Amino acid sequence: MVEMPKGVTTRIIREEGEWDAIRDDWNILYASSPYSSVPLDFVWLRGWWRVYGTLYGKAGLRVVTVRRGSKLVGAIPLYVSRGVGNSLGARHLRFISTGEEEYEETCPDYLNLLCLAGEEDVCANAIWNEVGRMDWDHLEFLDLTADSPLLRGITLPHDARLFSRGSCPIADLTDGFEPYLKRLSLKSRQQARRALREGERAGAQLELVDAAQAAGALDDLVTLHQERWTLDGKPGVFAAARFTEFHRNLIQEWLPSGRAVLARLSLAGAPVAVLYGFVNGRKFDSYQLGAHREPGSLVHSPGILASLLLMRVLSERGVNAYDFLRGSSSYKQRQATRENQLVGVQIWRPTLRAAIHRSRQLAARVFNKGQRLMRRG
């Protein structure tokens, strides 16, 4: 444990009403913190807890706050989930909006400690102190920025295991769309210009939909996205009711202010691609894409064209970075000019619950491997 400076206090919030009571303080901190990201916004967090919390968060909230005097200088949104096995089920400490089953996970990137500049070490020490006093068997913090204050120096517990969570490809729009195109490799730049010319010849139109059109545009996104995954023999995330409900609520809350963006690309009046994402300061996070994949279409790749056209529109509005978020899709790599690394942190405590949970995991892996070998045989 690290001793806290005089005047610094911490608190663990376990009740929704107590969390709601600090909403204004949270929003002030969020607006001032250099570590703010979309999934650390109070609206995102509170919305996730309303939709997913009753299923995954039965063991309760563990929102840690750090104050210097009366001022909120740091916070981290955590919760404890209970694994299978009732009283012997492992207790997992996680970020809010992580830990769902794969079929309905919201996949937030850039999770972090939310704190003021200059307060990083104090807040990280305070939070690790509180985390160390909590009851849990397994800690799993996913998709942190590689430079997160939580990962610095003495604040990180010695038994923590760090692992890569991949990267977020980013298109640098500094100084506008044309300078961005010049930053691409020759091949990628030629492909981008070819896609733009193809879209112009085909009469493709990109629109940023308003609140009145939001429901229809989201329906188009769902249809196009599910169409793609159905062809691949997979259900797609919008088949999950909780996932769809969470995002309908978020769009209703954020689209009128421009915080959320729904961009629809149409050919001859028919939607062929819909992009959904969020504006965070001067960065746009491209969260979800649905695109038509009909061979022989006048536009070879509606998704790529929609991304390029949206980059051009957003750059004219002052956005200087287009973040494709985590993923290794080839189109993201071709359109990106740099990337941000994400990491995860995991700690297992030497408890009976942890031992039982890990034994079950090992047994499941052995069984699944045996099943695969039998199928091959």
Side-chain angles (χ1 to χ4, degrees):
M1 297 294 179
V2 178
E3 186 175 350
M4 290 296 98
K6 186 177 181 180
V8 174
T9 57
T10 58
R11 175 188 176 199
I12 301 177
I13 293 176
R14 300 169 185 262
E15 301 295 332
E16 292 183 46
E18 295 177 16
W19 191 20
D20 288 335
I22 68 163
R23 177 172 184 153
D24 290 344
D25 286 346
W26 190 288
N27 289 341
I28 291 170
L29 173 62
Y30 184 93
S32 304
S33 175
Y35 305 100
S36 298
S37 63
V38 170
L40 292 175
D41 188 289
F42 197 90
V43 171
W44 174 292
L45 293 166
R46 202 65 180 86
W48 187 93
W49 190 254
R50 279 192 293 269
V51 174
Y52 289 91
T54 53
L55 176 64
Y56 294 100
K58 292 179 181 178
L61 289 168
R62 299 293 188 273
V63 178
V64 185
T65 62
V66 183
R67 291 184 182 270
R68 187 180 290 276
S70 62
K71 185 176 184 179
L72 185 67
V73 297
I76 189 167
L78 306 177
Y79 78 106
V80 177
S81 65
R82 174 77 75 176
V84 296
N86 299 320
S87 61
L88 290 179
R91 300 159 301 182
H92 305 275
L93 182 66
R94 295 182 166 112
F95 273 100
I96 290 173
S97 70
T98 67
E100 315 99 313
E101 293 292 335
E102 183 179 3
Y103 75 94
E104 61 179 0
E105 60 186 350
T106 51
C107 299
D109 293 330
Y110 300 112
L111 291 166
N112 212 333
L113 158 65
L114 193 61
C115 67
L116 296 179
E119 298 283 5
E120 289 90 346
D121 291 343
V122 167
C123 290
N125 288 336
I127 284 166
W128 281 120
N129 281 353
E130 292 297 340
V131 165
R133 287 190 280 262
M134 293 180 192
D135 291 327
W136 51 268
D137 306 294
H138 174 227
L139 177 149
E140 183 183 62
F141 292 170
L142 298 179
D143 303 321
L144 288 88
T145 56
D147 62 348
S148 169
L150 285 172
L151 309 180
R152 297 179 186 172
I154 63 171
T155 65
L156 188 66
H158 72 279
D159 52 351
R161 181 177 73 86
L162 273 64
F163 52 96
S164 173
R165 288 287 292 172
S167 62
C168 296
I170 297 171
D172 184 357
L173 301 179
T174 304
D175 299 325
F177 185 68
E178 282 300 319
Y180 152 70
L181 291 177
K182 293 177 182 178
R183 294 186 187 99
L184 296 173
S185 68
L186 177 60
K187 183 178 180 179
S188 294
R189 183 165 61 252
Q190 289 174 337
Q191 290 174 336
R193 293 196 185 281
R194 188 180 306 119
L196 291 167
R197 289 194 299 269
E198 184 180 70
E200 186 174 358
R201 286 196 300 269
Q205 299 291 323
L206 183 78
E207 59 173 332
L208 269 60
V209 305
D210 58 23
Q213 302 168 303
L218 181 57
D219 288 342
D220 290 336
L221 171 61
V222 171
T223 298
L224 291 166
H225 187 272
Q226 295 302 106
E227 175 186 278
R228 175 257 172 114
W229 288 102
T230 300
L231 288 173
D232 291 342
K234 299 177 181 179
V237 290
F238 286 107
R242 272 182 289 268
F243 181 90
T244 304
E245 179 188 355
F246 171 72
H247 285 289
R248 283 195 188 279
N249 294 342
L250 206 56
I251 288 169
Q252 184 177 13
E253 183 88 22
W254 276 352
L255 195 72
S257 67
R259 183 72 192 280
V261 172
L262 276 170
R264 180 166 50 195
L265 181 72
S266 299
L267 278 175
V272 293
V274 179
L275 275 161
Y276 166 46
F278 312 100
V279 176
N280 189 44
R282 298 186 68 189
K283 183 166 79 79
F284 176 74
D285 292 347
S286 181
Y287 182 81
Q288 196 60 263
L289 166 67
H292 197 45
R293 298 196 302 179
E294 182 181 346
S297 171
L298 293 174
V299 172
H300 177 69
S301 180
I304 290 176
L305 176 59
S307 296
L308 290 168
L309 292 175
L310 183 56
M311 285 184 208
R312 184 157 63 190
V313 171
L314 292 175
S315 68
E316 293 169 355
R317 299 185 177 193
V319 170
N320 61 19
Y322 189 104
D323 195 325
F324 291 96
L325 300 180
R326 187 161 42 97
S328 56
S329 300
S330 58
Y331 83 92
K332 294 184 178 184
Q333 302 298 327
R334 289 197 302 271
Q335 290 184 283
T337 55
R338 57 184 173 87
E339 61 183 20
N340 288 336
Q341 297 297 319
L342 298 180
V343 299
V345 181
Q346 182 167 256
I347 302 173
W348 285 98
R349 280 178 169 166
T351 66
L352 176 61
R353 292 185 185 90
I356 292 172
H357 182 88
R358 299 182 80 176
S359 296
R360 286 172 174 160
Q361 284 186 319
L362 177 60
R365 284 197 294 269
V366 171
F367 175 79
N368 291 335
K369 183 177 180 180
Q371 292 291 98
R372 289 195 296 272
L373 290 173
M374 289 175 63
R375 286 195 293 271
R376 290 174 188 169

